[in-house]
């Protein structure tokens, strides 16, 4: 659902990528030393003008014009205690602006109503963009307390806008005369989206219903925040301490060193500590020769939020699902999924299930075939037990190594974090003419952060790109892209350049060794930069339409399509170099990587699909009863026929995508990844047909997909790029679920 502009300023988008070194000038990467002058200075146009009472606020940075390079947030000056007063003042200012629009004595026009709303709330945008980025990437107990306090206030404020009858009356008046106003296409879409947002926000409800909606929204905000905090606490608190060196059998030395470092930091010096953070959990399950320890790790990861303790999420998730259904019905929809999907390219649950049910049987069949291969491997080793879920990654690695002679540990030296970023930058330069200079003088919120000035081939500033790569306790799991400032054009016609951040959770370097990435981790770096490019190359007018402001089931498309370039020999030759010798990755190893790229896709697709179908099951409920979360999940998965050796990628109690956002996040939308992949696979086919760096294809892709954002209908934009609708067959081929000749 597209929010009203004020709402969009509040809600932090989730996505991710990048980093770099000075070794690949041909990749468009260079360094700028601290003393070097800025090519461009930009004021923070999202910020409020200097307030007359700023002196009385104790020099709160949010009440001042930021004179930092490029209008970057002055992170070193912003303290936790500044957020409370800043939010209080920002909400008050935004409320006053909205009241002024609602009570304007002049007849409603596009300019004095729709555009006025679009450009209101500058201080709220300024505060929110910093605060919600940091509560995801670098939180602490104080910020969490502020979030608990401000969340309900922001929810109430959003409701005050959506349910303001005078404001809706003006919006509706402009909407009724929309065809006589001579609006541009983006203006018409802005008007229509605002009108629909009011209606979907409850503007046509009676007073009793409006109060009920407010109560629903307030409770859902509190529940979503609690869910998120519980997952973070469960992830941070769980640890497996090993004090017997024999229990490290099979583990790569880099993982052992990282575990020793973690142990030291957690007060277990001389021992080894493994956690459920992905950089620790995944390789442990892949390489540990101790099945009982693999089982312990697997249980710890898959039971987060399901331990009947203070951080338990079972009842919270069930309550959220019920409240969402009740809210949808209050607004005239049968289910939460019906409410959500109306605004997506999928349009309805039937279309979602049609795709998922088309892919599910093939994926499950492939997963069963993979299970049989691993059971054969167990028996070949003379062991007598049935494969368990905690064994899957261990035996998958063995089978892959034997089948393709591809050892993940042999691949990692060619994918250092630094060199892989060079591959990302090289690809961005070849496709879109983007050049990257690392800056050492720009403000940053943590020492891990790196900053890059991004320019085009004429030296014109595109935007600022921040990267934050390493796992730490104050950062939520996963990988994402967000913006500290979106691209837009001000009321005065000034083109504001974006400030984009990518956040990941890679293992931190140990000693003098660099961070070495698995193939999947390297692919994630490309994936997340696809999101960043979507934000950086934006070229629109209104902030609620620019960058990644597209339907949820379209937003993953630009990130997914960029992953394809990483496997191209021409790109690999540019960056996949051994971190010690500088040797370019051998063609033989490239061939093995490509041959193995579709291995274990039955597992990968099935665990993802199980989560997507679980999400849909929760959000097609009628809300008449509060479900027992574990019983409901089990019944859903049993009905699907999910094999016991595979769990959903996310079980209910740690499914942050769908339960940690007050606005709904990916609820009734986790299918979006595979839906977007239809566009991604079909789009890359265009590059295959014309050349992977074909200038005309890249130009059209940039113009219609990356730069246009939400200014037009995404399906129409895609057809302008491709000349036709996306063909799902390329998705099935890319996942190895059908052969190319089967699709003819």
């Amino acid at each position: 659902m597209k929010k009203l502009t004020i709402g969009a300023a509040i809600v932090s988008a989730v996505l991710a990528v990048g980093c770099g070194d000075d070794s690949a000038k041909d990749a468009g990467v260079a360094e700028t030393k601290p003393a070097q002058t800025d090519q461009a200075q930009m004021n923070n146009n999202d910020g409020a003008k200097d307030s007359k009472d700023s002196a009385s606020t104790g020099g709160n940075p949010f009440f001042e014009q930021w004179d930092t390079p490029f209008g970057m947030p002055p992170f070193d000056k912003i303290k936790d205690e500044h957020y409370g007063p800043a939010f209080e003042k920002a909400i008050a200012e935004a409320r006053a602006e909205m009241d002024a629009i609602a009570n304007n004595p002049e007849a409603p026009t596009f300019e004095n109503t729709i555009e006025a709303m679009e450009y209101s709330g500058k201080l709220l945008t300024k505060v929110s963009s910093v605060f919600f980025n940091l509560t995801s990437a670098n939180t602490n107990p104080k910020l969490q307390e502020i979030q608990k306090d401000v969340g309900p206030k922001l929810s109430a404020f959003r409701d005050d806008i959506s349910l303001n009858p005078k404001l809706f009356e003006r919006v509706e008046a402009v909407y009724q005369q929309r065809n006589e106003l001579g609006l541009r296409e983006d203006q018409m879409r802005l008007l229509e989206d605002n009108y629909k947002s009011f209606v979907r926000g409850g503007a046509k409800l009676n007073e009793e219903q409006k109060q009920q909606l407010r109560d629903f929204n307030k409770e859902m905000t509190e529940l979503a925040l609690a869910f998120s905090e519980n997952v973070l606490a469960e992830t941070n608190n769980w640890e497996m301490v090993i004090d017997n060196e024999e229990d490290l059998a099979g583990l790569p030395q880099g993982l052992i060193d990282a575990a020793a470092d973690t142990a030291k930091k957690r007060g277990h010096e001389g021992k080894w500590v493994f956690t459920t953070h992905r950089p620790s959990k995944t390789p442990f399950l892949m390489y540990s020769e101790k099945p009982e320890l693999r089982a312990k790790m697997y249980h710890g990861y898959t039971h987060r939020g399901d331990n009947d303790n203070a951080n338990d999420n079972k009842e919270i998730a069930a309550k959220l699902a019920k409240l969402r259904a009740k809210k949808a019905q209050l607004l005239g929809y049968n289910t939460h999924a019906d409410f959500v999907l109306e605004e997506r390219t999928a349009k309805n649950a039937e279309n979602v299930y049609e795709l998922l049910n088309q892919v599910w049987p093939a994926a499950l069949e492939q997963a069963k075939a993979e299970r049989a291969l691993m059971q054969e491997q167990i028996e070949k080793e003379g062991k007598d037990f049935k494969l368990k879920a905690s064994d899957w990654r261990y035996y998958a690695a063995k089978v892959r190594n034997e089948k393709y002679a591809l050892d993940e540990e042999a691949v990692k030296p060619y994918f250092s974090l630094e060199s892989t970023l060079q591959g990302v930058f090289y690809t961005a330069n070849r496709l879109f003419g983007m050049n990257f200079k690392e800056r050492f003088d720009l403000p940053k919120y943590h020492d891990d952060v790196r900053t890059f000035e991004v320019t085009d081939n004429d030296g014109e500033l595109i935007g600022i790109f921040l990267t934050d790569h390493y796992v730490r306790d104050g950062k939520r799991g996963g990988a994402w892209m967000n913006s500290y400032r979106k691209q837009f054009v001000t009321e005065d016609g000034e083109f504001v350049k974006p400030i984009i951040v990518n956040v990941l959770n890679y293992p931190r370097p140990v000693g003098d060794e660099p961070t070495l990435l698995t193939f999947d981790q390297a692919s994630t770096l490309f994936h997340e930069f696809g999101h960043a490019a979507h934000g950086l190359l934006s070229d629109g007018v209104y902030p609620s339409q620019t960058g990644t402001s597209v339907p949820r089931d379209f937003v993953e498309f630009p990130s997914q399509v960029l992953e394809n370039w990483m496997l191209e020999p021409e790109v690999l030759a540019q960056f996949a170099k051994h971190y010690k010798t500088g040797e370019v990755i051998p063609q033989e190893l490239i061939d093995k990587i490509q041959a193995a790229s579709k291995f274990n896709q039955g597992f990968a697709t099935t665990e993802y699909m199980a989560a997507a179908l679980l999400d849909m099951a929760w959000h097609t409920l009628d809300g008449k009863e509060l479900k027992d979360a574990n019983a409901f999940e089990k019944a859903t998965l049993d009905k699907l026929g999910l094999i016991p050796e595979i769990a959903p990628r996310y079980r209910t109690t740690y499914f942050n995508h769908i339960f940690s956002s007050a606005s709904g996040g990916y609820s009734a939308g986790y299918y979006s990844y595979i839906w977007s992949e239809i566009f991604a696979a079909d789009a890359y086919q265009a590059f295959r047909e014309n050349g992977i760096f074909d200038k005309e294809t890249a130009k059209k892709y940039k113009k219609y997909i990356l730069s246009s954002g939400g200014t037009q209908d995404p399906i129409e934009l895609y057809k302008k790029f491709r000349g036709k609708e996306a063909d799902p067959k390329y998705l099935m081929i890319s996942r190895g679920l059908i052969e190319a000749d089967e699709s003819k």
Side-chain angles (χ1 to χ4, degrees), residues 518-584:
T518 66
F519 182 81
D520 285 345
Q521 288 171 331
S523 182
T524 298
L525 203 62
F526 275 76
H527 174 103
E528 297 303 345
F529 188 80
H531 288 306
H534 203 176
L536 287 164
L537 296 173
S538 175
D539 186 9
V541 175
Y542 301 114
S544 65
Q545 295 181 333
T546 58
T548 57
S549 297
V550 297
R552 184 77 73 180
D553 55 7
F554 196 76
V555 76
E556 293 296 330
F557 156 35
S559 56
Q560 290 169 336
V561 75
L562 199 68
E563 294 177 40
N564 290 280
W565 274 269
M566 195 188 89
L567 262 178
E568 293 289 349
E570 180 180 350
V571 178
L572 284 167
Q574 293 293 325
F575 79 92
K577 301 174 182 178
H578 198 286
Y579 78 102
K580 287 184 176 178
T581 67
E583 173 201 12
V584 175

Side-chain angles (χ1 to χ4, degrees), residues 8-23:
I10 295 167
V11 180
S12 180
V14 175
L15 297 162
V17 85
C19 176
D21 65 18
D22 60 351
S23 63

